[in-house]
Amino acid sequence: GSFFIPTSMGVVDVDESNPCLPSDTEGGDARHQEKKRRPTLSICMLSVALCVSGGFQQGYIASVLNPPYVFIEAFINETVTERFGVAMSDDLLNTVWSFLNVMFPIATIVGQLLASWMCRRFGRKGTAIIGSSLYLPGALLSSLSYSVRSFEMIFIGRFLWALGNGINAVNTTVWIVECAPTEIRGAMGSMQEFSMAIGSLVVQSMGIHFSSETLWPWIFIPDVPLVILSIVLFLSVPDSPVSILERELDIDKARSVLAKYYGIPVDSPQINRELNLERKRTEDKEREDHPGISWIFNPFGEKDDRVRVIQQAAWLGVAVKIAYVFTGARALRGYSTFFLYGMAHYTLQGANLGSWIVAILRIPCTMVPIFFVDRLGRRLLMNSSLVVTVVALTAIIIGITVGDSLQLLSAISFGAVMLVNAGGLGSVSRFYAAELVPRSLLIGTVSALSGIEAVTKIAVEFAWFPVANIIGVWSLLMFLIPSLIFLVVIWAMCPETSNLTVFEVLEDIARRKKLKVSFTN
């Protein structure tokens, strides 16, 4: 059987047995041509803007305190001594430094909670411009803190900087899923991890020159012109077609914008299936029956099989995001100088150089998923990176426990944790969860998932630094044991999403659960 989609370009007959293709014989040719299309100028400009405002900023913020951390700690201690005449104890200074670092995920949570409302109120384009604008006072306040002798300005600046990044983290994921053609969606999502590696490398490179008592405030300034560039690019691209439908209810404008992003004619059958009005009405009814998104994460009280499938998909998205946090890649990257200097016993100069080398090597590693994630699949990259992470964390513990004779093993294993996750779980976790839920639930779900991830990140990163100062290398068990658990969960339960629609993915989950429900028909 088939059904008809009424559109401004006429009535399109769609084969219900395979709604991804028109019912005429040209469907196969259309799909073949779709695979050979090159990305359009609009999608390329959008990708660059989202990379600069999203992944690059995350890498910059996460790493900017790392190279000069010895001098910033000294500055904090000096200003307290100047005001109160008493120096801070080492334990108190470590706690203050941990809090300064976790100011990033704390503000990120606030931004992610705001993002859901902002995306609907201001659209994807307006939200991106507002979020990016917050980077400017964040960077400037951090830089000016030294000259006015106020370490509190670093906290305020870091909060504003991370607030904007939290907003853009949600907005970026949603905008990519809504505008990127299926055949490049994984690569475009993986570009975020690549741009984050670039941001981290820029900071580590500048850290070699700016890691001194008087020059460290300048490490915040080079980000300013890049922020301005991203705002200009956002002003040059159209809003998301889904955002246009939500805010303006203009189907013709949404159709035209989607065609511009895809690089296909406005009357293309692909536009019809992406803007499938019948499916949208079905999703809207599901949303009316279950208002909000809290029901997705409620493991009790739902008996409908379709709802149970969507719930499991959402929880698997949670597992993948949290699994990346517990690899330790983020925490170790944020404290890389401390790890190499304080735990592996390299010199401070050697620790900064080692961090810089890892930052350089992360660049080619993050390019692996850009070119291969849609060919190799998400599961292979996630599972293989978790296996290597478990082995590398074990080697670090052995190397540091034995002593300086295995110093090289500790450094190589440290780099392995950074690099394998940059090319595997770290990249995939950015967009994988968004491929598991229907688009009508996308904004709220991505916002909630990002919030859960940020809360976990706060707990892990705030706890690890003081614990590492007390028990040393055994603090890495905080990462090793959860990584083993998540390896089993992801290996056994996570579905493949490469080149599949969300409804095909949900049907795969339903088959795994042995539930006889259909999402594609």
Side-chain angles (χ1 to χ4, degrees):
S2 63
F3 59 90
F4 297 92
I5 301 177
T7 73
S8 61
M9 306 302 296
V11 178
V12 179
D13 183 16
V14 179
D15 183 358
E16 191 176 27
S17 64
N18 189 352
C20 292
L21 293 177
S23 60
D24 56 46
T25 58
E26 297 178 358
D29 294 336
R31 176 62 64 89
H32 179 66
Q33 292 172 2
E34 179 182 316
K35 292 285 186 183
K36 296 192 297 183
R37 278 201 314 270
R38 292 184 177 181
T40 64
L41 177 61
S42 294
I43 204 70
C44 289
M45 290 177 64
L46 176 62
S47 182
V48 171
L50 293 176
C51 284
V52 174
S53 66
F56 181 88
Q57 295 299 324
Q58 184 176 348
Y60 204 104
I61 302 168
S63 303
V64 72
L65 299 179
N66 181 47
Y69 92 96
V70 172
F71 304 103
I72 299 177
E73 274 191 335
F75 166 69
I76 294 173
N77 205 3
E78 288 170 7
T79 53
V80 170
T81 304
E82 290 169 3
R83 293 179 196 175
F84 306 106
V86 180
M88 301 174 69
S89 66
D90 290 342
D91 290 341
L92 180 58
L93 189 58
N94 288 337
T95 302
V96 171
W97 184 252
S98 293
F99 186 67
L100 178 59
N101 273 276
V102 299
M103 185 63 68
F104 174 28
I106 289 173
T108 297
I109 290 178
V110 179
Q112 289 164 343
L113 293 175
L114 287 173
S116 180
W117 171 78
M118 290 179 67
C119 282
R120 294 188 175 94
R121 175 66 178 83
F122 304 109
R124 317 298 184 260
K125 181 175 178 176
T127 300
I129 293 172
I130 294 171
S132 299
S133 299
L134 291 172
Y135 297 145
L136 298 175
L140 294 175
L141 283 171
S142 299
S143 181
L144 292 172
S145 62
Y146 181 79
S147 59
V148 299
R149 307 302 290 175
S150 173
F151 72 87
E152 295 89 348
M153 290 175 63
I154 305 179
F155 282 81
I156 298 171
R158 191 164 176 80
F159 183 88
L160 291 174
W161 209 343
L163 179 68
N165 192 245
I167 293 170
N168 281 338
V170 173
N171 191 50
T172 294
T173 302
V174 172
W175 206 343
I176 288 174
V177 172
E178 291 175 346
C179 293
T182 305
E183 64 272 19
I184 65 168
R185 186 180 62 206
M188 193 169 171
S190 298
M191 282 292 292
Q192 290 297 310
E193 189 72 16
F194 172 75
S195 60
M196 186 174 73
I198 295 290
S200 179
L201 174 61
V202 168
V203 170
Q204 297 294 346
S205 300
M206 293 188 302
I208 295 175
H209 303 287
F210 292 141
S211 291
S212 71
E213 186 176 353
T214 56
L215 292 179
W216 66 260
W218 291 97
I219 201 170
F220 303 98
I221 297 301
D223 186 52
V224 172
L226 294 172
V227 172
I228 296 173
L229 171 64
S230 68
I231 293 175
V232 171
L233 288 173
F234 282 129
L235 291 170
S236 305
V237 298
D239 203 348
S240 160
V242 178
S243 179
I244 292 170
L245 280 176
E246 289 176 349
R247 300 174 65 240
E248 304 177 31
L249 303 178
D250 189 337
I251 183 66
D252 293 327
K253 183 177 179 181
R255 182 185 300 280
S256 175
V257 167
L258 188 60
K260 186 175 182 179
Y261 276 125
Y262 278 26
I264 56 180
V266 177
D267 58 350
S268 169
Q270 188 180 0
I271 298 295
N272 293 322
R273 71 171 181 266
E274 289 294 332
L275 298 177
N276 189 326
L277 302 183
E278 291 297 322
R279 177 161 292 171
K280 186 175 187 303
R281 280 196 283 268
T282 301
E283 292 179 351
D284 288 343
K285 184 178 185 305
E286 183 113 346
R287 185 165 51 192
E288 291 170 4
D289 293 340
H290 301 275
I293 56 98
S294 60
W295 61 271
I296 296 180
F297 302 100
N298 177 16
F300 308 105
E302 296 291 350
K303 297 181 179 179
D304 183 86
D305 287 344
R306 287 168 57 88
V307 173
R308 289 168 58 195
V309 171
I310 295 174
Q311 284 179 325
Q312 178 164 320
W315 279 108
L316 289 174
V318 171
V320 169
K321 282 189 169 291
I322 294 179
Y324 179 44
V325 175
F326 277 104
T327 61
R330 283 180 169 175
L332 291 175
R333 185 172 68 246
Y335 296 107
S336 61
T337 302
F338 161 75
F339 174 84
L340 293 171
Y341 174 59
M343 297 180 69
H345 303 148
Y346 283 87
T347 63
L348 181 59
Q349 184 179 4
N352 277 326
L353 179 61
S355 298
W356 179 69
I357 292 173
V358 171
I360 291 177
L361 294 177
R362 284 185 70 224
I363 303 299
C365 290
T366 57
M367 297 181 71
V368 171
I370 293 175
F371 294 106
F372 298 108
V373 69
D374 291 310
R375 300 178 185 178
L376 300 178
R378 283 53 159 162
R379 280 179 53 84
L380 177 61
L381 292 178
M382 290 191 293
N383 290 323
S384 59
S385 63
L386 275 173
V387 170
V388 175
T389 296
V390 168
V391 174
L393 288 172
T394 304
I396 292 174
I397 294 174
I398 294 172
I400 293 180
T401 301
V402 170
D404 292 348
S405 61
L406 291 182
Q407 195 178 46
L408 183 60
L409 173 65
S410 302
I412 292 174
S413 301
F414 164 79
V417 174
M418 303 292 104
L419 301 179
V420 74
N421 281 286
L425 186 59
S427 290
V428 177
S429 67
R430 288 182 168 274
F431 59 87
Y432 181 77
E435 297 180 316
L436 300 176
V437 294
R439 289 191 181 181
S440 61
L441 305 168
L442 187 59
I443 296 177
T445 304
V446 170
S447 179
L449 289 172
S450 299
I452 293 171
E453 178 187 26
V455 169
T456 308
K457 184 180 177 184
I458 291 172
V460 171
E461 295 190 7
F462 184 77
W464 184 76
F465 185 67
V467 170
N469 275 280
I470 297 171
I471 65 174
V473 70
W474 297 107
S475 60
L476 295 181
L477 291 175
M478 292 173 55
F479 307 131
L480 178 58
I481 295 173
S483 292
L484 279 168
I485 295 172
F486 282 114
L487 173 60
V488 174
V489 172
I490 292 175
W491 194 302
M493 301 185 69
C494 283
E496 181 57 66
T497 61
S498 180
N499 294 313
L500 298 175
T501 67
V502 64
F503 299 101
E504 292 169 333
V505 173
L506 291 173
E507 286 209 340
D508 182 28
I509 295 175
R511 284 193 295 270
R512 289 167 178 260
K513 292 176 68 69
K514 298 181 180 180
L515 297 175
K516 296 181 180 180
V517 296
S518 176
F519 289 88
T520 56
N521 291 336

